[in-house]
Amino acid sequence: MLLGVSIGSSLVVGIVGYVSGSDSLRDAAYSKLTETRESRAREITNYVKNTEDSQVVYSRGTTAINAVTAFSAGFDALQSSQLTTEQNAAVDSIYTKTFAPELTARSGLQTDPTAFDPTSPAARYLQYHYTNPTLDYTATLAKDDAGDGSAWSAANNEYQDYFREIITRFGYEDALLLDTTGNVVYSAYKGVELGTNVQTGPYKGTVLASGYNETLNSNQVDFVKITDFERYQPSLGAPAAWIMSPVGEKGKVTGVMAFQLSIASINGIMTANNGWASDGLGETGETYLAGPDQLMRSVSRQLIENPDQFQKDVISAGTAPDVAAREVEVKGSTLLQPVRTAPVQRALAGETGTDITTSYLGTESIVAYAPLNISGLQWVIVARIDTSEAFAAVNDFTRNLVFAIIALILVVSLLSLILAQVFVRPVRRLVGAVRQVTGGDLSVEVPQGARDEFGDLGNAFNDMSRSLRIKQALIDEQTDENEKLLRTLMPDDVAKRYKEGQETITDVHHDVSVLFADLIGYDAYAAGVDPEKELATLNTIVASFDEAAARMGVESVRTLREGYLASCGLGVPRVDNIRRMVEFSLEIRKIIERFNAQHSTNLSLRIGIDAGTVSSGLVGRSSLAYDMWGDAVNLANRVQQVSGAAGLFVSQSVRDRMHDAVVFVEAATIDTADGSQTVWQIK
């Protein structure tokens, strides 16, 4: 019987351990992959945002405004220029001998050089003097003045170094300036687009042309347009994306400045500069971008590390052989590698989640996917790793657990055989067991003896031991539940004082930030759903608030159906409590925005923040409640009520301490005991 019980217990423990352990390891794998996806998403979003901000700074600067004016004037002056027959032949040879053959070789399509040959006198003049016959862009970037004495060359001599420095430092592929009629009046690399017109010339169907029209028609000098990648013929069919903005001042647009984004920069972010292993993605993990056409917008890891195996795998998974060969040839997968997988499709539909699916390489992978929040681009991000690697820890755990159970069963069996050879008198066993119980060990039991009085006594003892153990377990369980419940009602230090017998517990706290938040629009939302779903939705929102509060050092004090009261510096004094509370208010507003985006709702928050001295303590006798009161609490509540509309409203004291970090606008005034006070709104 001892042997059977021991073996059965070992098996049960092993099964429970396997289920619990394997689930935990799987969850850890998903969590790690999700964290990697979020990290990469933040990096690529910040890269685009920083690029957009830089674009606005450049386009509104005096240098860019003067450059557009100078190049446009120089370009217009060249429209009356004339080239000699030999000079015209030299321009034509750029297209017949270099550009058209190379574009044909790169694209695989026959190229007619006359379709790209510049027609305007200014374009032909500039390409003769600046465009390298072999399309050596390094040479043209370094060239400041052709020495022809034209106004355009004088402008290039003055501004080429400025744009060359931007391109070199920030990794752009090219910089263009366009006048208000669509002429490319300047190119840093002096490629074949120099002097052409994006509205009437050979590149009028490109995203450069459509982006130019949208930028020019925006009538906003701080407008920024970012385009998706497309195959750009002046770059010999290589993928190109543009970021552009109007150039001008005082509301008058004089041209458009466009920078060609670097694929290498995007690939560097998505590959962590080829540091996948150090980034926690092991030997098979990667992150990549995809567009609405379900083609990659970044490079594949396997293409970099093992091109031959990559070509075999993607072809086996359904990629056309010529496409796979092209990817290996150009060492890139942007606009080439299809990723028509379920996660990409769900992400394009606006969903965020994880899944196990077959990757574009044909391997089973766990995947974390999400759409990217980049204005003007419908890109999604996917993080993946082969299940064989991701769940390797689960397999190792299972193997080790099986070996441990087998070893345990063998040990138990051996011990049982030994004990079977030894007869210990029942009374001694029982005396020893009683002494253990007396010492507080309620888990002790005596082996069952023969069917006699001693055997009955042993059984009775075992029953008593089990009963005591169960009762003690119930008592411990109830004690734990009571402890958990008490800690949900009040902070730990207050709970400790209450358990020690204090009946009147109150504290005064100095320099505490207080936040009142009202959920606006929830009644309208709740009117259309059943009560159970309404409560579940509300709990989801509150749980997100509580998680953000715990993460940012803010303490949740009280939650009502449409209200939320929180403090910072109450339980744990913090010198930066106002900053934390302002950041927390911005964070819960983002939570509501994400909730609206996911559920197509129109909820908003009306938030009031004040800081000062507050009191806290236990209220009531038979029904305890932990509460907070004081002038700061009252003022925070009044501040958020100054307007019926949603917004983040703060008192004068909060604004005084945060005016260097946050933009405030005056919202209203309220009367307080100390006089009239201005209420400010965070923008």
Side-chain angles (χ1 to χ4, degrees), residues 161-215:
D161 183 69
Y162 172 77
F163 289 102
R164 179 169 56 225
E165 191 70 14
I166 293 176
I167 289 175
T168 303
R169 288 186 177 274
F170 298 101
Y172 293 116
E173 298 291 344
D174 200 358
L176 305 181
L177 294 178
L178 299 93
D179 62 17
T180 55
T181 60
N183 294 310
V184 181
V185 298
Y186 171 78
S187 167
Y189 279 104
K190 312 301 187 294
V192 295
E193 67 266 79
L194 177 61
T196 62
N197 190 291
V198 297
Q199 294 181 325
T200 61
Y203 314 115
K204 61 183 178 181
T206 63
V207 294
L208 174 63
S210 61
Y212 164 82
N213 289 326
E214 184 176 345
T215 304

CSV table of all heavy atoms in Angstrom, one decimal, residues 161-215:
chain,number,residue,atom,x,y,z
A,161,ASP,N,27.2,71.7,-49.5
A,161,ASP,CA,27.8,71.1,-48.3
A,161,ASP,C,26.8,71.0,-47.2
A,161,ASP,O,26.9,70.0,-46.4
A,161,ASP,CB,29.0,72.1,-47.8
A,161,ASP,CG,29.7,71.5,-46.6
A,161,ASP,OD1,30.4,70.5,-46.7
A,161,ASP,OD2,29.5,72.1,-45.5
A,162,TYR,N,25.8,71.9,-47.2
A,162,TYR,CA,24.8,71.8,-46.1
A,162,TYR,C,24.0,70.5,-46.3
A,162,TYR,O,23.8,69.7,-45.4
A,162,TYR,CB,23.8,73.0,-46.3
A,162,TYR,CG,22.6,73.0,-45.4
A,162,TYR,CD1,22.6,73.2,-44.1
A,162,TYR,CD2,21.4,72.7,-46.0
A,162,TYR,CE1,21.5,73.2,-43.3
A,162,TYR,CE2,20.2,72.6,-45.3
A,162,TYR,CZ,20.3,72.9,-43.9
A,162,TYR,OH,19.1,72.8,-43.1
A,163,PHE,N,23.5,70.2,-47.5
A,163,PHE,CA,22.7,69.0,-47.8
A,163,PHE,C,23.6,67.8,-47.7
A,163,PHE,O,23.1,66.7,-47.3
A,163,PHE,CB,22.0,69.1,-49.1
A,163,PHE,CG,20.9,70.1,-49.1
A,163,PHE,CD1,21.1,71.3,-49.7
A,163,PHE,CD2,19.7,69.8,-48.5
A,163,PHE,CE1,20.0,72.3,-49.7
A,163,PHE,CE2,18.6,70.7,-48.5
A,163,PHE,CZ,18.8,72.0,-49.1
A,164,ARG,N,24.9,67.9,-48.1
A,164,ARG,CA,25.8,66.7,-48.0
A,164,ARG,C,26.0,66.3,-46.6
A,164,ARG,O,26.0,65.1,-46.2
A,164,ARG,CB,27.1,67.1,-48.7
A,164,ARG,CG,28.1,66.0,-48.6
A,164,ARG,CD,29.3,66.3,-49.5
A,164,ARG,NE,29.9,67.6,-49.2
A,164,ARG,CZ,30.3,68.5,-50.1
A,164,ARG,NH1,30.1,68.3,-51.4
A,164,ARG,NH2,30.8,69.7,-49.7
A,165,GLU,N,26.1,67.3,-45.7
A,165,GLU,CA,26.3,67.0,-44.3
A,165,GLU,C,25.0,66.3,-43.7
A,165,GLU,O,25.1,65.4,-42.9
A,165,GLU,CB,26.5,68.3,-43.5
A,165,GLU,CG,27.0,68.2,-42.1
A,165,GLU,CD,28.4,67.6,-42.0
A,165,GLU,OE1,29.1,67.6,-43.0
A,165,GLU,OE2,28.8,67.1,-40.9
A,166,ILE,N,23.8,66.8,-44.1
A,166,ILE,CA,22.6,66.2,-43.6
A,166,ILE,C,22.5,64.7,-44.1
A,166,ILE,O,22.2,63.8,-43.3
A,166,ILE,CB,21.4,66.9,-44.1
A,166,ILE,CG1,21.3,68.3,-43.5
A,166,ILE,CG2,20.1,66.1,-43.8
A,166,ILE,CD1,20.2,69.2,-44.0
A,167,ILE,N,22.8,64.5,-45.3
A,167,ILE,CA,22.8,63.1,-45.9
A,167,ILE,C,23.8,62.2,-45.2
A,167,ILE,O,23.5,61.1,-44.8
A,167,ILE,CB,23.0,63.2,-47.4
A,167,ILE,CG1,21.8,63.8,-48.1
A,167,ILE,CG2,23.3,61.8,-47.9
A,167,ILE,CD1,22.0,64.0,-49.6
A,168,THR,N,25.0,62.7,-45.0
A,168,THR,CA,26.0,61.9,-44.4
A,168,THR,C,25.7,61.6,-42.9
A,168,THR,O,25.9,60.4,-42.5
A,168,THR,CB,27.4,62.6,-44.5
A,168,THR,OG1,27.7,63.0,-45.9
A,168,THR,CG2,28.5,61.8,-43.9
A,169,ARG,N,25.3,62.6,-42.2
A,169,ARG,CA,25.1,62.4,-40.8
A,169,ARG,C,23.8,61.5,-40.5
A,169,ARG,O,23.8,60.7,-39.5
A,169,ARG,CB,25.0,63.7,-40.1
A,169,ARG,CG,26.3,64.4,-40.0
A,169,ARG,CD,26.2,65.7,-39.1
A,169,ARG,NE,27.5,66.4,-39.0
A,169,ARG,CZ,28.4,66.1,-38.0
A,169,ARG,NH1,28.1,65.1,-37.2
A,169,ARG,NH2,29.5,66.7,-37.9
A,170,PHE,N,22.8,61.7,-41.3
A,170,PHE,CA,21.5,61.0,-40.9
A,170,PHE,C,21.2,59.9,-41.9
A,170,PHE,O,20.1,59.3,-41.8
A,170,PHE,CB,20.4,62.1,-40.9
A,170,PHE,CG,20.6,63.1,-39.8
A,170,PHE,CD1,21.1,64.4,-40.2
A,170,PHE,CD2,20.3,62.8,-38.5
A,170,PHE,CE1,21.3,65.3,-39.2
A,170,PHE,CE2,20.5,63.8,-37.5
A,170,PHE,CZ,21.0,65.1,-37.9
A,171,GLY,N,22.1,59.6,-42.8
A,171,GLY,CA,21.9,58.4,-43.6
A,171,GLY,C,20.8,58.4,-44.6
A,171,GLY,O,20.3,57.4,-45.0
A,172,TYR,N,20.5,59.6,-45.1
A,172,TYR,CA,19.5,59.6,-46.2
A,172,TYR,C,20.1,59.2,-47.5
A,172,TYR,O,21.3,59.3,-47.8
A,172,TYR,CB,18.9,61.1,-46.4
A,172,TYR,CG,18.1,61.5,-45.2
A,172,TYR,CD1,18.5,62.6,-44.4
A,172,TYR,CD2,16.9,60.9,-44.9
A,172,TYR,CE1,17.8,63.1,-43.4
A,172,TYR,CE2,16.2,61.4,-43.8
A,172,TYR,CZ,16.6,62.4,-43.1
A,172,TYR,OH,15.9,62.9,-42.0
A,173,GLU,N,19.3,58.7,-48.4
A,173,GLU,CA,19.7,58.2,-49.7
A,173,GLU,C,19.9,59.4,-50.7
A,173,GLU,O,20.8,59.3,-51.6
A,173,GLU,CB,18.8,57.2,-50.3
A,173,GLU,CG,18.6,55.9,-49.5
A,173,GLU,CD,19.8,55.1,-49.5
A,173,GLU,OE1,20.7,55.3,-50.4
A,173,GLU,OE2,20.0,54.2,-48.6
A,174,ASP,N,19.1,60.4,-50.5
A,174,ASP,CA,19.2,61.6,-51.4
A,174,ASP,C,18.4,62.7,-50.8
A,174,ASP,O,17.6,62.5,-49.9
A,174,ASP,CB,18.7,61.3,-52.8
A,174,ASP,CG,19.3,62.3,-53.8
A,174,ASP,OD1,20.0,63.2,-53.5
A,174,ASP,OD2,18.9,62.1,-55.0
A,175,ALA,N,18.7,64.0,-51.3
A,175,ALA,CA,17.9,65.1,-50.9
A,175,ALA,C,17.5,65.9,-52.1
A,175,ALA,O,18.4,66.1,-53.0
A,175,ALA,CB,18.7,66.0,-49.9
A,176,LEU,N,16.2,66.2,-52.3
A,176,LEU,CA,15.7,66.9,-53.4
A,176,LEU,C,15.1,68.2,-53.0
A,176,LEU,O,14.5,68.3,-51.9
A,176,LEU,CB,14.7,66.1,-54.2
A,176,LEU,CG,15.1,64.7,-54.7
A,176,LEU,CD1,14.0,64.0,-55.4
A,176,LEU,CD2,16.4,64.7,-55.5
A,177,LEU,N,15.2,69.2,-53.9
A,177,LEU,CA,14.4,70.4,-53.8
A,177,LEU,C,13.5,70.6,-55.0
A,177,LEU,O,14.1,70.4,-56.1
A,177,LEU,CB,15.3,71.7,-53.6
A,177,LEU,CG,16.1,71.7,-52.3
A,177,LEU,CD1,17.0,73.0,-52.3
A,177,LEU,CD2,15.2,71.7,-51.1
A,178,LEU,N,12.3,70.9,-54.9
A,178,LEU,CA,11.3,71.0,-56.0
A,178,LEU,C,10.7,72.4,-55.9
A,178,LEU,O,10.3,72.9,-54.8
A,178,LEU,CB,10.3,69.9,-56.0
A,178,LEU,CG,10.8,68.5,-56.1
A,178,LEU,CD1,11.0,67.9,-54.8
A,178,LEU,CD2,9.8,67.6,-57.0
A,179,ASP,N,10.5,73.0,-57.1
A,179,ASP,CA,9.8,74.3,-57.1
A,179,ASP,C,8.3,74.1,-57.1
A,179,ASP,O,7.8,73.0,-57.0
A,179,ASP,CB,10.3,75.2,-58.2
A,179,ASP,CG,10.0,74.6,-59.6
A,179,ASP,OD1,9.1,73.7,-59.6
A,179,ASP,OD2,10.6,75.0,-60.6
A,180,THR,N,7.6,75.2,-57.1
A,180,THR,CA,6.1,75.1,-57.0
A,180,THR,C,5.4,74.6,-58.3
A,180,THR,O,4.2,74.3,-58.3
A,180,THR,CB,5.5,76.4,-56.7
A,180,THR,OG1,5.9,77.4,-57.6
A,180,THR,CG2,5.9,76.9,-55.3
A,181,THR,N,6.2,74.4,-59.4
A,181,THR,CA,5.6,73.8,-60.6
A,181,THR,C,6.0,72.3,-60.8
A,181,THR,O,5.7,71.8,-61.8
A,181,THR,CB,6.1,74.6,-61.8
A,181,THR,OG1,7.5,74.6,-61.9
A,181,THR,CG2,5.6,76.1,-61.7
A,182,GLY,N,6.8,71.8,-59.9
A,182,GLY,CA,7.1,70.3,-60.0
A,182,GLY,C,8.5,70.1,-60.5
A,182,GLY,O,8.9,68.9,-60.6
A,183,ASN,N,9.3,71.1,-60.8
A,183,ASN,CA,10.7,70.8,-61.3
A,183,ASN,C,11.6,70.4,-60.1
A,183,ASN,O,11.6,71.1,-59.1
A,183,ASN,CB,11.2,72.1,-61.9
A,183,ASN,CG,10.5,72.5,-63.2
A,183,ASN,OD1,10.3,71.6,-64.1
A,183,ASN,ND2,10.0,73.7,-63.3
A,184,VAL,N,12.4,69.4,-60.4
A,184,VAL,CA,13.4,69.0,-59.4
A,184,VAL,C,14.6,69.9,-59.6
A,184,VAL,O,15.5,69.7,-60.5
A,184,VAL,CB,13.8,67.5,-59.6
A,184,VAL,CG1,14.9,67.2,-58.5
A,184,VAL,CG2,12.6,66.6,-59.4
A,185,VAL,N,14.6,71.1,-58.9
A,185,VAL,CA,15.6,72.1,-59.1
A,185,VAL,C,16.9,71.8,-58.4
A,185,VAL,O,17.9,72.5,-58.7
A,185,VAL,CB,15.1,73.5,-58.7
A,185,VAL,CG1,13.9,73.9,-59.5
A,185,VAL,CG2,14.8,73.5,-57.2
A,186,TYR,N,17.0,70.7,-57.6
A,186,TYR,CA,18.2,70.4,-56.9
A,186,TYR,C,18.2,68.9,-56.5
A,186,TYR,O,17.1,68.4,-56.1
A,186,TYR,CB,18.4,71.2,-55.7
A,186,TYR,CG,19.6,70.7,-54.8
A,186,TYR,CD1,20.9,71.0,-55.1
A,186,TYR,CD2,19.3,70.0,-53.7
A,186,TYR,CE1,22.0,70.5,-54.4
A,186,TYR,CE2,20.4,69.5,-52.9
A,186,TYR,CZ,21.7,69.8,-53.2
A,186,TYR,OH,22.7,69.3,-52.5
A,187,SER,N,19.3,68.2,-56.6
A,187,SER,CA,19.5,66.9,-56.1
A,187,SER,C,20.9,66.8,-55.6
A,187,SER,O,21.8,67.2,-56.2
A,187,SER,CB,19.3,65.8,-57.2
A,187,SER,OG,19.7,64.5,-56.8
A,188,ALA,N,21.0,66.3,-54.3
A,188,ALA,CA,22.3,66.2,-53.7
A,188,ALA,C,23.2,65.3,-54.5
A,188,ALA,O,24.4,65.5,-54.7
A,188,ALA,CB,22.2,65.7,-52.3
A,189,TYR,N,22.7,64.2,-55.0
A,189,TYR,CA,23.5,63.2,-55.8
A,189,TYR,C,23.5,63.4,-57.3
A,189,TYR,O,24.2,62.7,-58.0
A,189,TYR,CB,23.0,61.8,-55.5
A,189,TYR,CG,23.5,61.2,-54.2
A,189,TYR,CD1,22.7,61.1,-53.1
A,189,TYR,CD2,24.8,60.7,-54.0
A,189,TYR,CE1,23.1,60.6,-51.8
A,189,TYR,CE2,25.2,60.2,-52.8
A,189,TYR,CZ,24.4,60.2,-51.7
A,189,TYR,OH,24.9,59.7,-50.6
A,190,LYS,N,22.7,64.4,-57.7
A,190,LYS,CA,22.7,64.8,-59.1
A,190,LYS,C,22.4,63.6,-60.0
A,190,LYS,O,23.0,63.4,-61.0
A,190,LYS,CB,24.0,65.4,-59.5
A,190,LYS,CG,24.6,66.5,-58.6
A,190,LYS,CD,23.6,67.7,-58.4
A,190,LYS,CE,24.3,68.8,-57.6
A,190,LYS,NZ,24.5,68.4,-56.2
A,191,GLY,N,21.4,62.8,-59.7
A,191,GLY,CA,21.0,61.7,-60.4
A,191,GLY,C,20.1,62.1,-61.6
A,191,GLY,O,20.0,63.3,-62.0
A,192,VAL,N,19.5,61.1,-62.3
A,192,VAL,CA,18.8,61.3,-63.5
A,192,VAL,C,17.5,62.1,-63.3
A,192,VAL,O,16.9,62.5,-64.3
A,192,VAL,CB,18.6,60.0,-64.3
A,192,VAL,CG1,19.8,59.3,-64.7
A,192,VAL,CG2,17.8,59.0,-63.4
A,193,GLU,N,17.1,62.2,-62.1
A,193,GLU,CA,15.8,63.0,-61.8
A,193,GLU,C,16.1,64.5,-61.8
A,193,GLU,O,15.2,65.3,-61.7
A,193,GLU,CB,15.1,62.5,-60.5
A,193,GLU,CG,15.9,62.8,-59.3
A,193,GLU,CD,16.8,61.6,-58.8
A,193,GLU,OE1,17.9,61.4,-59.4
A,193,GLU,OE2,16.4,60.9,-57.9
A,194,LEU,N,17.4,64.9,-61.7
A,194,LEU,CA,17.7,66.3,-61.6
A,194,LEU,C,17.2,67.0,-62.9
A,194,LEU,O,17.5,66.7,-64.0
A,194,LEU,CB,19.2,66.4,-61.5
A,194,LEU,CG,19.8,67.9,-61.5
A,194,LEU,CD1,19.2,68.6,-60.3
A,194,LEU,CD2,21.3,67.9,-61.5
A,195,GLY,N,16.4,68.1,-62.6
A,195,GLY,CA,15.9,68.9,-63.7
A,195,GLY,C,14.6,68.4,-64.3
A,195,GLY,O,13.9,69.1,-65.0
A,196,THR,N,14.1,67.2,-63.9
A,196,THR,CA,12.9,66.7,-64.5
A,196,THR,C,11.7,67.3,-63.7
A,196,THR,O,11.8,67.8,-62.7
A,196,THR,CB,12.8,65.1,-64.4
A,196,THR,OG1,12.9,64.7,-63.0
A,196,THR,CG2,14.0,64.5,-65.2
A,197,ASN,N,10.5,67.1,-64.3
A,197,ASN,CA,9.3,67.6,-63.7
A,197,ASN,C,8.5,66.4,-63.2
A,197,ASN,O,8.1,65.6,-64.0
A,197,ASN,CB,8.5,68.5,-64.7
A,197,ASN,CG,7.4,69.2,-64.0
A,197,ASN,OD1,6.4,68.6,-63.6
A,197,ASN,ND2,7.5,70.5,-63.9
A,198,VAL,N,8.1,66.4,-61.9
A,198,VAL,CA,7.4,65.2,-61.4
A,198,VAL,C,6.0,65.2,-61.8
A,198,VAL,O,5.3,64.2,-61.6
A,198,VAL,CB,7.6,65.2,-59.9
A,198,VAL,CG1,9.0,65.0,-59.4
A,198,VAL,CG2,7.0,66.4,-59.2
A,199,GLN,N,5.5,66.3,-62.4
A,199,GLN,CA,4.1,66.3,-62.8
A,199,GLN,C,3.9,65.9,-64.3
A,199,GLN,O,2.8,65.5,-64.7
A,199,GLN,CB,3.5,67.7,-62.5
A,199,GLN,CG,3.4,68.0,-61.0
A,199,GLN,CD,2.7,69.3,-60.7
A,199,GLN,OE1,2.9,70.3,-61.5
A,199,GLN,NE2,2.0,69.4,-59.6
A,200,THR,N,4.9,66.2,-65.1
A,200,THR,CA,4.8,65.9,-66.5
A,200,THR,C,5.9,65.0,-67.0
A,200,THR,O,5.8,64.6,-68.1
A,200,THR,CB,4.9,67.3,-67.3
A,200,THR,OG1,6.1,67.9,-67.0
A,200,THR,CG2,3.7,68.2,-66.8
A,201,GLY,N,7.0,64.8,-66.3
A,201,GLY,CA,8.1,64.1,-66.7
A,201,GLY,C,8.0,62.6,-66.6
A,201,GLY,O,6.9,62.1,-66.3
A,202,PRO,N,9.1,61.8,-66.8
A,202,PRO,CA,9.0,60.4,-66.8
A,202,PRO,C,8.7,59.8,-65.4
A,202,PRO,O,8.4,58.6,-65.3
A,202,PRO,CB,10.4,60.0,-67.2
A,202,PRO,CG,11.3,61.2,-66.9
A,202,PRO,CD,10.4,62.4,-67.1
A,203,TYR,N,8.7,60.5,-64.4
A,203,TYR,CA,8.5,60.0,-63.0
A,203,TYR,C,7.2,60.5,-62.4
A,203,TYR,O,7.1,60.6,-61.2
A,203,TYR,CB,9.7,60.3,-62.1
A,203,TYR,CG,11.0,60.0,-62.8
A,203,TYR,CD1,11.9,61.0,-63.0
A,203,TYR,CD2,11.4,58.7,-63.1
A,203,TYR,CE1,13.1,60.8,-63.7
A,203,TYR,CE2,12.6,58.4,-63.8
A,203,TYR,CZ,13.4,59.5,-64.1
A,203,TYR,OH,14.6,59.2,-64.7
A,204,LYS,N,6.3,60.9,-63.3
A,204,LYS,CA,5.1,61.5,-62.8
A,204,LYS,C,4.2,60.5,-62.1
A,204,LYS,O,3.3,60.9,-61.3
A,204,LYS,CB,4.3,62.2,-63.9
A,204,LYS,CG,3.9,61.2,-65.0
A,204,LYS,CD,3.2,62.0,-66.2
A,204,LYS,CE,2.8,61.0,-67.3
A,204,LYS,NZ,2.2,61.8,-68.4
A,205,GLY,N,4.4,59.2,-62.3
A,205,GLY,CA,3.5,58.2,-61.7
A,205,GLY,C,4.1,57.6,-60.4
A,205,GLY,O,3.6,56.7,-59.8
A,206,THR,N,5.2,58.2,-59.9
A,206,THR,CA,5.9,57.7,-58.7
A,206,THR,C,5.2,58.3,-57.4
A,206,THR,O,4.5,59.3,-57.4
A,206,THR,CB,7.4,58.1,-58.7
A,206,THR,OG1,7.5,59.5,-58.7
A,206,THR,CG2,8.0,57.5,-60.0
A,207,VAL,N,5.6,57.6,-56.3
A,207,VAL,CA,5.1,58.2,-55.0
A,207,VAL,C,5.8,59.5,-54.7
A,207,VAL,O,5.2,60.3,-53.9
A,207,VAL,CB,5.4,57.2,-53.8
A,207,VAL,CG1,4.5,55.9,-54.0
A,207,VAL,CG2,6.8,56.9,-53.7
A,208,LEU,N,6.9,59.8,-55.3
A,208,LEU,CA,7.5,61.1,-55.2
A,208,LEU,C,6.6,62.2,-55.7
A,208,LEU,O,6.4,63.2,-55.1
A,208,LEU,CB,8.9,61.1,-55.9
A,208,LEU,CG,9.6,62.5,-56.0
A,208,LEU,CD1,9.9,63.0,-54.6
A,208,LEU,CD2,10.9,62.4,-56.8
A,209,ALA,N,6.0,61.9,-56.9
A,209,ALA,CA,5.1,62.8,-57.5
A,209,ALA,C,3.8,63.0,-56.7
A,209,ALA,O,3.4,64.1,-56.4
A,209,ALA,CB,4.8,62.4,-58.9
A,210,SER,N,3.2,61.9,-56.3
A,210,SER,CA,2.0,62.0,-55.5
A,210,SER,C,2.2,62.7,-54.2
A,210,SER,O,1.4,63.5,-53.7
A,210,SER,CB,1.3,60.6,-55.3
A,210,SER,OG,2.2,59.8,-54.6
A,211,GLY,N,3.4,62.3,-53.5
A,211,GLY,CA,3.7,63.0,-52.3
A,211,GLY,C,4.0,64.5,-52.4
A,211,GLY,O,3.6,65.3,-51.6
A,212,TYR,N,4.6,64.8,-53.5
A,212,TYR,CA,4.9,66.2,-53.8
A,212,TYR,C,3.6,67.0,-53.9
A,212,TYR,O,3.4,68.1,-53.3
A,212,TYR,CB,5.7,66.4,-55.1
A,212,TYR,CG,5.7,67.7,-55.7
A,212,TYR,CD1,6.5,68.7,-55.2
A,212,TYR,CD2,4.8,68.1,-56.7
A,212,TYR,CE1,6.5,70.0,-55.7
A,212,TYR,CE2,4.8,69.4,-57.2
A,212,TYR,CZ,5.6,70.3,-56.7
A,212,TYR,OH,5.6,71.6,-57.3
A,213,ASN,N,2.6,66.5,-54.7
A,213,ASN,CA,1.3,67.2,-54.9
A,213,ASN,C,0.6,67.3,-53.6
A,213,ASN,O,0.0,68.4,-53.3
A,213,ASN,CB,0.5,66.4,-55.9
A,213,ASN,CG,1.0,66.5,-57.3
A,213,ASN,OD1,1.5,67.5,-57.7
A,213,ASN,ND2,0.8,65.4,-58.1
A,214,GLU,N,0.6,66.3,-52.8
A,214,GLU,CA,-0.1,66.4,-51.5
A,214,GLU,C,0.6,67.4,-50.5
A,214,GLU,O,-0.1,68.1,-49.8
A,214,GLU,CB,-0.1,65.0,-50.8
A,214,GLU,CG,-0.9,65.0,-49.5
A,214,GLU,CD,-1.0,63.6,-48.9
A,214,GLU,OE1,-0.7,62.6,-49.6
A,214,GLU,OE2,-1.4,63.5,-47.7
A,215,THR,N,1.9,67.4,-50.6
A,215,THR,CA,2.7,68.3,-49.7
A,215,THR,C,2.5,69.8,-50.2
A,215,THR,O,2.2,70.7,-49.4
A,215,THR,CB,4.2,68.0,-49.8
A,215,THR,OG1,4.4,66.6,-49.4
A,215,THR,CG2,5.0,68.9,-48.9
